[in-house]
Amino acid sequence: MAPHEAHTTEDVQAVHKDERYDMRFPSYLGFWKRSVPGLDEAPRFDMYDEPHLKRRKQILGDHPEIEDLYGYDTNTIWITISTVCMQMSLAYLFGRVLTDWNWTMVLVAYAIGGSFSTQIGIIFHEFTHNLCAATSLQNRWVGNIGNIPLLVPLAQSFRRYHLEHHTYQGVYGFDPDLPLEWEIRLIGNNPVNKFFWLIIYGVMYIGRGLAQQKQLTRWELYNWAWTIGCDVVIYYTCGLRGMLYLMLSVFLGFGLHPGAAHFIQEHYTFRDGQETYSYYGSGNFFWLNIGYHNEHHDFPLVPWTKLPDIKRIAPEYYDHLAYHTSWCAVLYMFVTSSLLAPQSRVVRTLDAHRYARKNLKVPSPDETEGLASAKSEFAKRMKKAAEMSMEKVRAQRIVGAQ
């Protein structure tokens, strides 16, 4: 999975030696071809920085009114409290009342408890960006409260690693959202392996953060202490069976569940050059517009209630992008399609990310008009070069296998 050793700082500079502006403007779609399982062994490599910071600057140049959407929405606090109360009520029901309703408990844990668990994960997403309340402290406590039914201290660690994902999207060794090398090798493109990989995806997501071996922060330690205290209370209130219901809800919810399909929808490459995808289906109603992922990455300071307004205000930046309308279809395609596997991502080195971010500027509206013809020729050259490089690597792989 690691970008090729030849991709040094000098190589990055050589690729961009004639560029002053980032020629991906205005949509900032890449020039790369997506990685195809069977033909390629690793994710596709890109010589540019992640696209969203530059998209934000480009969009705000045309639509500065989007900044009026920045802020927070305290309705998320009440949704958090309601979700926690309903999930804990079900834990008490199955732990102390319906103590012999075993299969009913499993079904409810998947359909209802799993939905609540994934909604709490999305609440974590909101508090991470300080979109629930006025201060960072208040937002962190929204996360801690939401963490109660999950039994495992996830809130503050999610905040830490998710912010790194935004900063280093696709940067190998820095983006915790990228699958690990051994995941790609072990799962491959086998439908059975992919099916079971999705079932344990929540566990893998935690494992990627642990693989970075970072020391726990002060707030992560607070999260551990808070969670242990809450777990003790849950044990005495709901019993072991109630805790089993909560554990099943987390495991099933963050596995092969429609509410967890956004993990695949968001950055697995379904189209050449596009590394982030939105979902515009009915699931956004319950799961707090988490499907509006391009909009969120472009404007992470906009709360979930206003994300659809971004697309409405600036349709020319979103309507042409590929998107999903069914999370169930996303899961089905990922398992059954030979064109999708854990390797279906785009990665970049830290050198490439930093160089392109620092040296390739976002053109102004006037400069954009003057660069239009040059961009067309440049894009053709870059896509041709990417295709030739891809075919060379594939040919070397075939020769090496003989």
Side-chain angles (χ1 to χ4, degrees):
M1 176 181 169
H4 195 277
E5 292 179 0
H7 293 135
T8 62
T9 301
E10 291 74 19
D11 294 315
V12 174
Q13 292 174 349
V15 168
H16 298 301
K17 64 180 180 178
D18 297 324
E19 286 183 81
R20 179 183 173 192
Y21 299 100
D22 192 323
M23 300 300 278
R24 298 176 298 172
F25 76 88
S27 61
Y28 293 89
L29 295 176
F31 302 117
W32 44 268
K33 298 282 188 179
R34 63 183 178 143
S35 176
V36 178
L39 296 177
D40 304 300
E41 293 183 315
R44 184 63 65 224
F45 177 72
D46 186 27
M47 282 283 198
Y48 286 82
D49 53 326
E50 70 84 24
H52 294 286
L53 185 143
K54 290 178 177 176
R55 276 180 56 86
R56 183 184 318 140
K57 185 173 181 179
Q58 188 92 48
I59 296 170
L60 286 176
D62 293 332
H63 300 283
E65 66 272 24
I66 289 180
E67 288 187 329
D68 295 335
L69 302 177
Y70 292 3
Y72 58 91
D73 192 332
T74 55
N75 286 317
T76 310
I77 298 174
W78 303 113
I79 293 172
T80 303
I81 294 172
S82 299
T83 302
V84 170
C85 288
M86 287 187 286
Q87 181 70 330
M88 294 310 303
S89 297
L90 288 171
Y92 181 84
L93 179 67
F94 286 110
R96 298 300 190 189
V97 182
L98 305 179
T99 55
D100 56 349
W101 289 36
N102 297 325
W103 285 109
T104 300
M105 183 178 76
V106 174
L107 291 173
V108 171
Y110 178 80
I112 300 177
S115 298
F116 285 153
S117 295
T118 49
Q119 187 181 61
I120 289 170
I122 294 162
I123 289 168
F124 287 175
H125 187 259
E126 291 295 297
F127 101 80
T128 290
H129 295 285
N130 292 332
L131 301 176
C132 304
T135 69
S136 179
L137 178 63
Q138 291 169 336
N139 277 279
R140 284 187 181 273
W141 274 104
V142 172
N144 283 344
I145 292 170
N147 205 139
I148 293 173
L150 301 189
L151 300 180
V152 180
L154 298 176
Q156 306 306 325
S157 295
F158 177 88
R159 182 184 189 277
R160 176 186 190 178
Y161 291 113
H162 183 71
L163 291 176
E164 291 180 358
H165 164 62
H166 272 261
T167 303
Y168 299 108
Q169 179 181 314
V171 178
Y172 178 75
F174 291 82
D175 181 359
D177 189 62
L178 292 171
L180 302 173
E181 290 185 55
W182 69 264
E183 290 180 72
I184 292 174
R185 291 196 306 269
L186 180 63
I187 305 306
N189 196 26
N190 184 298
V192 176
N193 291 350
K194 290 191 287 185
F195 177 83
F196 284 103
W197 184 67
L198 290 178
I199 289 177
I200 63 168
Y201 196 87
V203 177
M204 295 310 309
Y205 206 80
I206 297 172
R208 293 170 195 163
L210 295 175
Q212 296 193 12
Q213 298 180 337
K214 293 185 177 181
Q215 187 174 357
L216 293 176
T217 64
R218 176 168 56 95
W219 270 100
E220 286 178 296
L221 293 174
Y222 292 163
N223 196 185
W224 271 90
W226 165 263
T227 302
I228 291 171
C230 290
D231 288 353
V232 171
V233 174
I234 293 171
Y235 170 76
Y236 283 105
T237 305
C238 303
L240 280 176
R241 183 179 167 84
M243 297 185 80
L244 175 61
Y245 164 78
L246 294 175
M247 286 187 284
L248 283 171
S249 296
V250 173
F251 181 76
L252 297 175
F254 285 98
L256 199 67
H257 191 285
H262 66 90
F263 291 119
I264 303 299
Q265 158 236 309
E266 292 167 350
H267 297 295
Y268 283 81
T269 51
F270 293 79
R271 176 181 177 181
D272 293 342
Q274 183 174 332
E275 61 181 288
T276 304
Y277 299 79
S278 289
Y279 157 83
Y280 302 130
S282 58
N284 282 320
F285 178 78
F286 179 81
W287 281 286
L288 311 185
N289 285 334
I290 191 64
Y292 285 82
H293 206 62
N294 265 303
E295 293 82 351
H296 167 67
H297 266 270
D298 290 343
F299 298 97
L301 298 182
V302 175
W304 67 273
T305 48
K306 297 180 180 179
L307 288 176
D309 292 337
I310 298 173
K311 186 174 184 293
R312 177 183 57 79
I313 293 171
E316 70 273 22
Y317 285 97
Y318 296 98
D319 286 352
H320 68 289
L321 299 178
Y323 61 89
H324 299 281
T325 57
S326 169
W327 276 327
C328 291
V330 168
L331 296 175
Y332 179 81
M333 283 192 296
F334 187 84
V335 171
T336 61
S337 175
S338 61
L339 299 178
L340 293 167
Q343 73 182 62
S344 302
R345 298 290 296 260
V346 60
V347 301
R348 48 184 59 87
T349 63
L350 185 61
D351 284 341
H353 175 73
R354 285 177 170 171
Y355 183 88
R357 176 61 51 84
K358 179 181 179 180
N359 296 285
L360 305 183
K361 308 301 181 184
V362 176
S364 67
D366 291 338
E367 292 167 334
T368 297
E369 293 181 10
L371 290 170
S373 59
K375 178 195 171 174
S376 177
E377 291 301 318
F378 181 85
K380 288 180 182 178
R381 293 200 309 270
M382 288 296 290
K383 290 180 179 179
K384 183 65 175 177
E387 189 170 341
M388 292 177 63
S389 176
M390 177 184 67
E391 293 299 335
K392 181 180 178 181
V393 171
R394 289 176 177 175
Q396 290 174 342
R397 178 171 177 254
I398 292 173
V399 171
Q402 292 177 346

